[in-house]
Amino acid sequence: QVQLVESGGGLVQPGGSLRLSCAASGGIDSIIGMGWYRQAPGKQRELVAVISSDGTTTYADSVKGRCTISRDNAKNTVYLRMNSLKVEDTAVYYCHAAVYEYGYWGQGTQVTVSS
């Protein structure tokens, strides 16, 4: 079992920045990749960014160039740095840990971009 603890969400003005953190614990040796997803009200949950065990990263077109996913292996933590935030970035952001034929979700952290 993998436990994911997220932090870093909050209210930010358009053009501002946030760094989301996701700390993994438990059966971390089983994790083959981690990522961030988001879901806005009335919309389907969508991929934001993922990082695989070999360090390969993938970004959604909507955030490419504005977001950076990274990891700290010593802390078992994955980060999502978001710059130049837009109102349309407002959503609940979920951390996800992929294991073989399964996955675990964090509780979600609210990101609100508003003046």
Side-chain angles (χ1 to χ4, degrees):
Q1 187 176 355
V2 175
Q3 296 82 42
L4 303 174
V5 180
E6 300 166 316
S7 61
L11 176 64
V12 64
Q13 294 182 343
S17 299
L18 284 175
R19 189 183 72 165
L20 307 182
S21 300
C22 176
S25 61
I28 56 177
D29 290 341
S30 63
I31 298 175
I32 60 176
M34 296 187 68
W36 290 93
Y37 294 71
R38 67 185 182 186
Q39 187 168 22
K43 296 184 178 180
Q44 188 176 11
R45 186 173 299 185
E46 64 177 359
L47 172 72
V48 178
V50 294
I51 183 167
S52 64
S53 59
D54 66 357
T56 302
T57 58
T58 303
Y59 298 93
D61 289 339
S62 59
V63 303
K64 192 175 300 181
R66 300 189 296 116
C67 295
T68 302
I69 187 170
S70 61
R71 66 185 182 188
D72 186 333
N73 291 330
K75 298 180 179 180
N76 297 317
T77 300
V78 173
Y79 304 95
L80 182 68
R81 168 65 70 178
M82 300 186 292
N83 300 319
S84 302
L85 284 164
K86 306 174 181 179
V87 173
E88 50 263 44
D89 293 320
T90 297
V92 178
Y93 284 70
Y94 297 91
C95 182
H96 180 263
V99 300
Y100 184 67
E101 295 185 343
Y102 196 71
Y104 295 91
W105 292 97
Q107 78 285 355
T109 183
Q110 176 72 47
V111 172
T112 302
V113 184
S114 176
S115 298

